Amino acid sequence: MNEIRTAPNKYEKILENNNIKPTAMRLLVLQFLLNKNVATSLTDVENYFAKSDRTTLYRTLKTFVEKGISHKIDDGTGITKYALCEDNCRCEIDTDLHLHFHCTKCSETVCITEYKIPPIHLPKDYIAENVNLVVKGICDKCNSK
Amino acid sequence: MNEIRTAPNKYEKILENNNIKPTAMRLLVLQFLLNKNVATSLTDVENYFAKSDRTTLYRTLKTFVEKGISHKIDDGTGITKYALCEDNCRCEIDTDLHLHFHCTKCSETVCITEYKIPPIHLPKDYIAENVNLVVKGICDKCNSK
DNA sequence: TGCCCTATGCAACGGAAGTGCATTATTTGC
DNA sequence: GCAAATAATGCACTTCCGTTGCATAGGGCA
Ligand SMILES: [Mn+2]
Ligand SMILES: [Mn+2]
Ligand SMILES: [Zn+2]
Ligand SMILES: [Zn+2]
């Protein structure tokens, strides 16, 4: 993680396109999230950037969610996770929501974006506004060991 | 003791059938849960039984889950809820798991047992062991007001 | 009655999210 | 370029809930 000084790079563009001021910390966190393919907790980020302040990182992740480049994941572990959204994601119930898989062996949580959440049947007069679908089990990596 | 024991009422039977000693507190909590049709938090129980101890109630609920007469619900609010299982429930993934609906207006969470959770598609090599499906929105009662 | 096992009650702990506020950095107006 | 305004950061502290340790009480049984 060193190439931050190099002119308007792709990371700065991502932030600027979403009305997020590209501060040093935000760029580093964005880069960190982009390089990970699993959902990331505040503590994960905190451990990686050992020198920086938890609150700043907390608010950075919060900003990312508010500005729409990241989504918050409640995988049932009690620890909030974050993952960058796919391109053109608007976190909408019918098009963008996907299930999250939590592996009970390696404890990692991943976005399963390949399949959409199946249509949910609800009794009369219920209105769905949001869906959280979490599957726990063994992930592909752990399964092939 | 040769005396004829007083016949157990239906609450005692429920507990005894599941190897739970029917103490006074447990009977009261069971009765409370049976009379509610919404998922119940420890704090709910605590408020209802104002004089009794939080830990005892906590452990009562925990015992109910361990012995299989109740299930724990993570509705995404950060507050664990409990609801009594249906008859013959073994909390198994294919037969007993149902979705939970959390109303953002009245803040109540209910078990939707009428419909089963639809089959989940997962990528190759993933093994599902458990599913948590929570839908947020407006419940029937709030919707008809 | 005395023993043992369980249930109970009180207190304290721990993790994680979130907030108040002073300080520092950056932008904006002139 | 300078000063005022605005935004980001850092530190301390709080709150909320779940959980545990440990001492005491109660109830079945020899
Ligand atoms: Mn995701
Ligand atoms: Mn339920
Ligand atoms: Zn795994
Ligand atoms: Zn409602």
Side-chain angles (χ1 to χ4, degrees):
Chain A
M1 298 260 178
N2 26 24
E3 31 153 341
I4 323 112
R5 296 292 172 190
T6 58
N9 58 25
K10 66 169 179 174
Y11 306 112
E12 289 183 68
K13 272 180 203 151
I14 293 173
L15 295 184
E16 282 166 357
N17 288 345
N18 290 277
N19 296 312
I20 305 168
K21 279 190 200 168
T23 67
M25 204 63 243
R26 287 170 176 172
L27 287 165
L28 288 168
V29 172
L30 174 62
Q31 216 167 329
F32 178 60
L33 292 179
L34 274 168
N35 287 336
K36 291 197 76 168
N37 55 347
V38 297
T40 306
S41 71
L42 172 57
T43 305
D44 291 336
V45 184
E46 196 188 348
N47 289 339
Y48 187 81
F49 299 105
K51 278 176 280 187
S52 75
D53 184 71
R54 223 190 80 249
T55 312
T56 301
L57 298 172
Y58 166 73
R59 288 196 266 235
T60 296
L61 294 171
K62 194 181 175 194
T63 300
F64 284 5
V65 173
E66 283 166 0
K67 298 293 187 176
I69 65 170
S70 176
H71 60 280
K72 221 172 167 177
I73 301 166
D74 176 1
D75 62 5
T77 60
I79 297 163
T80 304
K81 308 272 166 64
Y82 301 85
L84 292 173
C85 291
E86 312 235 276
D87 288 346
N88 305 318
C89 167
R90 305 207 42 97
C91 287
E92 303 214 327
I93 186 168
D94 293 320
T95 53
D96 301 314
L97 292 191
H98 48 264
L99 75 88
H100 292 114
F101 188 94
H102 177 77
C103 177
T104 53
K105 200 167 176 188
C106 65
S107 296
E108 286 189 342
T109 298
V110 291
C111 300
I112 306 289
T113 52
E114 294 95 316
Y115 305 104
K116 291 298 146 198
I117 290 183
I120 309 289
H121 294 274
L122 288 173
K124 193 171 179 307
D125 292 334
Y126 281 79
I127 302 171
E129 288 171 351
N130 204 340
V131 177
N132 186 32
L133 175 54
V134 178
V135 180
K136 288 190 203 279
I138 306 296
C139 77
D140 55 347
K141 280 180 240 149
C142 289
N143 191 20
S144 62
K145 276 174 196 160
Chain B
M1 260 319 144
N2 293 331
E3 295 177 56
I4 299 167
R5 296 198 325 181
T6 52
N9 62 23
K10 67 169 179 172
Y11 305 113
E12 290 182 71
K13 270 182 205 151
I14 294 173
L15 295 184
E16 281 167 357
N17 288 344
N18 290 278
N19 296 312
I20 304 169
K21 275 192 201 167
T23 66
M25 203 63 244
R26 287 169 176 173
L27 286 165
L28 287 168
V29 172
L30 173 62
Q31 214 166 330
F32 178 60
L33 292 179
L34 273 168
N35 288 335
K36 290 198 74 168
N37 55 349
V38 297
T40 306
S41 70
L42 171 57
T43 306
D44 292 335
V45 185
E46 197 189 349
N47 290 338
Y48 187 80
F49 298 106
K51 278 177 271 189
S52 76
D53 184 71
R54 180 181 172 71
T55 311
T56 302
L57 298 173
Y58 167 73
R59 286 195 267 236
T60 297
L61 294 172
K62 194 181 175 194
T63 300
F64 284 5
V65 173
E66 284 166 0
K67 298 293 188 177
I69 65 170
S70 176
H71 61 280
K72 222 173 167 176
I73 301 167
D74 176 1
D75 63 5
T77 61
I79 297 163
T80 304
K81 309 274 166 66
Y82 301 85
L84 293 174
C85 291
E86 310 237 276
D87 287 346
N88 305 319
C89 167
R90 306 212 38 100
C91 286
E92 302 211 329
I93 185 168
D94 292 319
T95 53
D96 301 314
L97 292 192
H98 49 264
L99 75 88
H100 292 115
F101 188 93
H102 176 78
C103 176
T104 52
K105 201 168 175 187
C106 65
S107 295
E108 287 189 340
T109 298
V110 292
C111 299
I112 306 289
T113 52
E114 294 95 318
Y115 305 104
K116 292 297 148 198
I117 290 183
I120 308 290
H121 295 273
L122 288 173
K124 193 171 180 303
D125 292 333
Y126 281 79
I127 302 171
E129 288 171 349
N130 204 339
V131 178
N132 186 33
L133 175 54
V134 178
V135 180
K136 288 190 204 277
I138 307 295
C139 77
D140 55 348
K141 281 179 238 150
C142 289
N143 191 20
S144 63
K145 274 172 197 160

